[in-house]
Amino acid sequence: MYYAVAISNYSENKMFVYSSAEDITLGERVVVSFRNKKTLAYVVQKFESIEKIWESNIKELIDFEKIRLNSSKVPKIIERCDYISFIDSVRLNAFIDCALSLGYPIGRLFDLSFPPSFDKYFTLFVESANPLFNLPKMKYEEFRKMSKAKEYIENGLVRIFRDFETKKPRPRGKEEYLKLVASPEELAKLRLTSKQSVVVNYLLLKGVSTVDEILKDLEDEGIDKSVLVQLKNKGVVEITEQPITDETTEQLNSKRKLTDEQHKAVENILEELNNQKTHLKHLLFGPTGSGKTEVYLDIIKHALNFGNVIYLVPEISLTEQTIARLRKHFPDIPIAVYHSYQTDAKRVEIWSKAVKGEINILIGPRSALFVPLKNLKLVVVDEEQDEGYYNNSEPYYDVRKILHHFPVTVIFGSATPHLETYKLAKDGLYKFHTLTKRFNVELPEVEIIDMRKEKKVTPSISKTLHEEITNVLKKGMSALIFTRRKGFSRVQCAVCGHTVKCDNCDVSMTYHSDSEKLKCHLCGLEKGVPNMCPVCGSQLFTDKGTGTEKIERELRELFPGKNIGRIDAEIIDTPEKLKKVLEALREGKLEIVTGTKMITKGLDIYRIGLVGIIDVDALISYPDINAPLRTFQLLVQVIGRAGRKEKGKAVIQTYDPNNPVIVYASAQDVTGYYERELSLRKELNYPPFADVVHVMYSNQSEEIARETIDAVYNEILNAEGLYIEILGPSEHPVFKVANKYRYQFFVKTTNVSKVVNLISEIKTKYPGDWVVRVTPPEI
């Protein structure tokens, strides 16, 4: 038998053919000799003869160089790793489709389906498969030492399998129950630690919990029994062995009254889900606060009758609130979270339960999609427009594009959909479901401030924004102030205009007032502020731009005594730190928070009455075809954070008040802006009307970098039978990073796989640092 295998950790989109006398299951892991080394690989297809390979649907992915009609030249598979496939047909076929249509390296897709250190935690065992054959269960390593081991396997006398070795939990005795007893008013007066706040937030979302359940769900947050005892001693929670009455799921569902729009969306999606023969993709499109989550919950309730569910969120920080919400609605359903901040052992444990069918709902960011959850029937992609669904490091992939090939029902949900998803729904390839109204509250009022005419109270904050912040604080509510970048500002000579740049990168350095240093946000270089300008010798420097630190300082000057916080990547480098700030905001301990786009991610806090948006013009004008669209989506999302309980307000400061991005965003007119954007892109043949393959090369020698990119560009341009349009080659907008010069070009095409495979072949002649991405978020 001949097998096409995908090589593990292999960046090219190729498969290779090996032979074996054994009947190996598709998806199995095997060991082969590749480039004279024992290498892990995955079985993708099997063939009875070499001739059949030439007729297969994956022939364009197979490297035929070593294959001739002489079967003796086909290398043999050295050994099987698991004697079972953990990869189901859903993923196997989807990976093949992605390799064929998108040029994704198929071996890397299989790699993502296994947790790190997989083999460290799984042990291979052997036991008798025949009641008449007396062989005790033993480890495979011991079994293979037996003289007749191979004979036993070939005759089917033994069963070989992997099993996850877990520590048995110690019996806890009687079940204990936990309930929040402190009122919101009492909570606001208490000083809680970050761990205590995590528990309180969980209970606010879920209600009653068992002690075992909350410790399991919050294990990644470092929550143990002592945290619960501390809260009990403070009078915040009650712990008892007596079951605590709480609303049943039925009572909860009876209280939840869907609007007509929500009910219609649920009915239409369920009609297809109940069919079981079709696997449609759906776009649930509605403004922030329109009740998309309520629709998800209703669909999930019915989907669980047929199989299991994956619920994707764009950020790890959103998994905690999502699992609490789902636990409240599905208290008796096994739910788990999977993400990269978990320990290897924890990820393997969750993975193992998913494969065995012991989990019904799996929550997580993009990596959760690759967990081979048994009997998968539904995938929910919340905030599907988010760039977090694009993996912007090797292997480069887009979760939305992969899901397009998954033969399961998928619901993409967003107030500002990914433009390709919107077009697919508009064209009828996905089913379109629209919610037009906010759930029990109006959309925020939006005021555009023309900064060319407006009086400023600080260099960054207008008189109007200052007044609106003052008003919202008087009402006992909080304000969010968004700005586009972290740090304090750029440092510029006041005489000649020279800007201090990084020594290693072609970018301006950002001044951070906390450390009183200049930092490069690309390579991490830090240095002190210069005493004099290296160009003109002046000692006069000024700050330009508005970073989060600068806005925070100005806010502290305007509102002395108020609790002001900051959310940006400089100080929020783990999900736990973000949760801590959000808890303080939710509990009223923070009255004003300034931040970058991190503050737009899933914030559902009723205390926010005002959103202020500063320095948005630079985002729109960034040299990237997606910059205006991305800014529009960001504006709509951040405006939607205002007034989740009662009507809020948003203030946009701009020097270009008539820019379509700002006009459409202030009106929350997503459809109008998207139709305009699609019209422009159709003329230019930009995504989603064509895919764009981004090719970038970098080298410490500027000359070598330029000559290399030119050579590859010319080879692609002169390739036969390739109908493409190439933009470039040119310098990258950030030309130098970490002492390497970067050149790039973009290929517009409707045959991505052919272009990617051609580039892969050509670039092997030119070793160096290459990046090849298919329709990345930045173009």
Side-chain angles (χ1 to χ4, degrees):
M1 191 73 73
Y2 300 95
Y3 296 92
V5 307
I7 304 296
S8 172
N9 200 34
Y10 187 55
S11 59
E12 307 302 328
N13 187 30
K14 284 289 180 187
M15 289 192 286
F16 301 85
V17 175
Y18 291 80
S19 66
S20 175
E22 295 184 67
D23 185 13
I24 304 175
T25 310
L26 298 186
E28 265 197 60
R29 302 189 311 152
V30 295
V31 175
V32 299
S33 177
F34 182 69
R35 293 178 176 173
N36 299 319
K37 288 184 180 180
K38 283 187 177 182
T39 306
L40 182 69
Y42 307 90
V43 172
V44 178
Q45 276 199 16
K46 62 175 73 174
F47 308 96
E48 294 178 355
S49 65
I50 292 180
E51 289 80 5
K52 292 287 185 184
I53 301 172
W54 298 84
E55 303 167 9
S56 75
N57 66 320
I58 62 167
K59 62 184 177 185
E60 63 186 81
L61 298 177
I62 293 177
D63 189 322
F64 284 103
E65 282 187 18
K66 298 178 182 177
I67 301 176
R68 298 291 180 267
L69 293 179
N70 185 349
S71 60
S72 63
K73 293 194 175 183
V74 178
K76 295 186 181 300
I77 288 173
I78 297 172
E79 63 179 323
R80 297 162 73 181
C81 298
D82 310 310
Y83 288 84
I84 189 174
S85 172
F86 294 112
I87 306 298
D88 52 50
S89 60
V90 166
R91 281 169 180 76
L92 184 74
N93 292 328
F95 293 166
I96 292 172
D97 287 346
C98 289
L100 287 168
S101 62
L102 298 167
Y104 288 176
I106 190 166
R108 290 287 187 90
L109 294 179
F110 278 99
D111 288 339
L112 292 168
S113 300
F114 292 85
S117 306
F118 175 83
D119 291 299
K120 180 180 175 183
Y121 294 94
F122 275 85
T123 304
L124 199 62
F125 290 99
V126 179
E127 67 180 11
S128 173
N130 188 322
L132 301 177
F133 179 61
N134 186 21
L135 180 78
K137 178 182 174 181
M138 65 177 69
K139 291 185 178 181
Y140 179 75
E141 290 301 319
E142 299 170 11
F143 169 77
R144 68 189 302 180
K145 295 174 185 175
M146 298 173 65
S147 59
K148 295 187 176 181
K150 190 173 181 181
E151 180 183 329
Y152 293 155
I153 294 172
E154 290 174 350
N155 292 328
L157 295 174
V158 295
R159 183 174 81 91
I160 304 173
F161 63 97
R162 282 198 179 269
D163 199 11
F164 178 56
E165 296 181 315
T166 56
K167 295 178 183 176
K168 300 272 186 190
R170 290 178 299 174
R172 289 183 176 271
K174 290 186 178 180
E175 186 76 272
E176 291 183 305
Y177 297 85
L178 192 71
K179 183 178 182 180
L180 189 66
V181 293
S183 67
E185 292 75 20
E186 291 171 322
L187 288 172
K189 297 174 184 175
L190 292 171
R191 299 180 71 86
L192 300 178
T193 66
S194 59
K195 288 184 179 181
Q196 291 168 357
S197 293
V198 166
V199 173
V200 168
N201 184 44
Y202 180 94
L203 293 172
L204 282 169
L205 287 165
K206 184 183 181 297
V208 171
S209 172
T210 67
V211 169
D212 284 354
E213 186 178 68
I214 199 168
L215 293 179
K216 181 181 176 183
D217 284 349
L218 302 180
E219 180 184 359
D220 297 334
E221 314 295 333
I223 306 301
D224 55 27
K225 184 72 178 286
S226 66
V227 179
L228 309 184
V229 173
Q230 292 162 10
L231 287 170
K232 179 184 176 183
N233 294 337
K234 288 184 176 183
V236 176
V237 301
E238 174 187 349
I239 302 177
T240 176
E241 291 182 357
Q242 297 297 318
I244 301 171
T245 56
D246 193 22
E247 292 177 312
T248 63
T249 305
E250 289 75 19
Q251 289 172 326
L252 187 66
N253 288 333
S254 67
K255 283 179 67 177
R256 281 195 308 123
K257 296 247 179 165
L258 297 182
T259 64
D260 290 342
E261 288 180 331
Q262 290 172 321
H263 186 68
K264 183 180 178 183
V266 168
E267 278 196 333
N268 289 340
I269 296 172
L270 286 181
E271 183 181 347
E272 175 262 321
L273 188 66
N274 292 333
N275 187 348
Q276 292 295 294
K277 292 181 181 177
T278 58
H279 305 289
L280 297 180
K281 309 298 183 278
H282 303 263
L283 171 59
L284 184 61
F285 171 45
T288 52
S290 60
K292 292 184 288 294
T293 303
E294 301 300 312
V295 174
Y296 300 153
L297 292 171
D298 249 45
I299 303 298
I300 290 171
K301 182 179 73 172
H302 289 86
L304 291 170
N305 295 323
F306 304 107
N308 299 321
V309 178
I310 290 179
Y311 193 119
L312 297 180
V313 292
E315 295 282 345
I316 292 172
S317 59
L318 300 177
T319 55
E320 177 197 314
Q321 67 184 46
T322 304
I323 192 171
R325 185 176 286 126
L326 287 168
R327 280 221 188 275
K328 187 176 182 73
H329 289 272
F330 307 106
D332 301 320
I333 297 296
I335 302 173
V337 173
Y338 184 91
H339 57 70
S340 60
Y341 275 84
Q342 294 169 322
T343 63
D344 287 353
K346 181 67 175 178
R347 291 169 78 180
V348 169
E349 179 189 352
I350 298 299
W351 186 95
S352 175
K353 288 180 178 179
V355 169
K356 293 175 182 177
E358 297 172 7
I359 292 171
N360 293 131
I361 303 176
L362 183 67
I363 304 162
R366 60 179 180 266
S367 59
L369 176 66
F370 293 91
V371 176
L373 181 66
K374 192 172 183 179
N375 196 21
L376 177 64
K377 293 298 178 186
L378 173 69
V379 178
V380 173
V381 188
D382 197 17
E383 302 291 354
E384 69 90 30
Q385 84 291 340
D386 198 279
E387 292 177 13
Y389 290 119
Y390 188 95
N391 193 56
N392 215 356
S393 59
E394 286 199 46
Y396 301 99
Y397 65 85
D398 190 327
V399 159
R400 289 159 295 230
K401 287 183 177 291
I402 291 176
L403 277 170
H404 182 76
H405 298 280
F406 261 57
V408 297
T409 300
V410 181
I411 304 174
F412 297 99
S414 178
T416 55
H418 191 269
L419 194 60
E420 183 174 354
T421 309
Y422 177 86
K423 184 177 183 298
L424 287 167
K426 182 189 169 192
D427 292 347
L429 297 175
Y430 290 1
K431 292 201 76 173
F432 211 141
H433 311 276
T434 305
L435 307 177
T436 59
K437 297 177 182 177
R438 267 189 155 194
F439 200 65
N440 294 330
V441 69
E442 294 180 67
L443 284 167
E445 175 192 347
V446 181
E447 184 175 359
I448 301 173
I449 306 300
D450 188 344
M451 296 298 284
R452 297 170 300 181
K453 303 173 184 177
E454 176 78 7
K455 182 180 178 182
K456 297 180 183 177
V457 293
T458 70
S460 310
I461 297 172
S462 66
K463 180 174 178 288
T464 300
L465 180 55
H466 178 229
E467 291 171 351
E468 292 294 343
I469 297 173
T470 303
N471 292 337
V472 83
L473 294 181
K474 284 180 181 177
K475 295 177 183 176
M477 300 186 77
S478 302
L480 280 184
I481 309 300
F482 167 81
T483 190
R484 68 185 178 92
R485 61 187 294 165
K486 60 185 178 179
F488 190 82
S489 61
R490 302 190 314 276
V491 173
Q492 190 170 20
C493 174
V495 177
C496 72
H498 170 74
T499 300
V500 180
K501 288 193 172 184
C502 174
D503 299 339
N504 306 323
C505 310
D506 189 26
V507 293
S508 301
M509 299 191 77
T510 303
Y511 176 62
H512 287 258
S513 60
D514 288 354
S515 58
E516 296 186 346
K517 286 185 176 180
L518 293 168
K519 293 183 181 180
C520 173
H521 291 161
L522 288 180
C523 73
L525 176 70
E526 295 186 13
K527 63 182 181 181
V529 179
N531 294 322
M532 65 174 62
C533 174
V535 176
C536 69
S538 168
Q539 296 182 348
L540 296 174
F541 289 92
T542 183
D543 55 85
K544 296 289 184 182
T546 50
T548 48
E549 282 186 40
K550 185 177 180 183
I551 300 300
E552 182 185 19
R553 178 179 290 185
E554 292 180 14
L555 288 168
R556 292 191 185 281
E557 291 172 359
L558 292 174
F559 301 98
K562 297 296 181 183
N563 294 317
I564 299 172
R566 174 159 55 97
I567 297 178
D568 61 35
E570 192 67 26
I571 60 170
I572 306 293
D573 52 6
T574 66
E576 290 73 26
K577 290 182 180 178
L578 177 59
K579 288 170 189 168
K580 187 175 179 181
V581 175
L582 297 185
E583 287 310 310
L585 182 60
R586 187 174 280 112
E587 295 165 16
K589 295 176 183 176
L590 283 177
E591 294 157 290
I592 307 174
V593 172
T594 180
T596 57
K597 66 180 179 181
M598 292 178 75
I599 67 174
T600 70
K601 302 290 179 79
L603 275 184
D604 190 3
I605 298 175
Y606 292 118
R607 296 188 54 84
I608 299 170
L610 175 73
V611 168
I613 299 163
I614 296 172
D615 195 26
V616 71
D617 300 326
L619 284 175
I620 300 172
S621 59
Y622 188 76
D624 172 0
I625 67 164
N626 287 327
L629 173 63
R630 187 163 54 239
T631 306
F632 172 82
Q633 292 172 330
L634 190 147
L635 284 176
V636 172
Q637 292 284 341
V638 77
I639 288 168
R641 302 301 153 203
R644 301 307 288 262
K645 193 170 184 180
E646 57 185 64
K647 186 171 182 176
K649 185 168 184 177
V651 175
I652 303 174
Q653 294 186 172
T654 176
Y655 289 90
D656 187 12
N658 295 319
N659 189 293
V661 169
I662 293 171
V663 173
Y664 280 101
S666 63
Q668 298 279 285
D669 184 3
V670 178
T671 302
Y673 184 79
Y674 276 36
E675 292 301 323
R676 179 182 184 276
E677 188 73 8
L678 285 173
S679 177
L680 289 171
R681 288 171 178 243
K682 187 175 183 180
E683 288 182 23
L684 299 169
N685 197 32
Y686 278 144
F689 297 95
D691 276 303
V692 171
V693 180
H694 175 219
V695 183
M696 183 175 73
Y697 178 77
S698 56
N699 196 288
Q700 289 184 335
S701 165
E702 181 181 350
E703 184 179 1
I704 291 174
R706 185 179 63 253
E707 289 177 354
T708 301
I709 203 76
D710 285 344
V712 174
Y713 163 82
N714 286 322
E715 285 201 45
I716 293 171
L717 193 64
N718 296 322
E720 293 183 8
L722 202 61
Y723 302 100
I724 58 173
E725 179 184 350
I726 302 183
L727 305 176
S730 65
E731 297 177 0
H732 190 281
V734 184
F735 183 39
K736 184 183 175 188
V737 172
N739 282 321
K740 288 186 177 181
Y741 297 91
R742 310 196 297 179
Y743 283 88
Q744 64 179 9
F745 60 82
F746 296 89
V747 183
K748 288 197 280 187
T749 179
T750 54
N751 191 341
V752 169
S753 181
K754 191 169 184 179
V755 170
V756 170
N757 290 337
L758 175 63
I759 292 169
S760 296
E761 289 176 17
I762 294 172
K763 70 185 180 68
T764 56
K765 308 175 195 174
Y766 306 94
D769 292 339
W770 288 97
V771 169
V772 180
R773 302 183 298 166
V774 176
T775 315
E778 316 87 27
I779 301 175

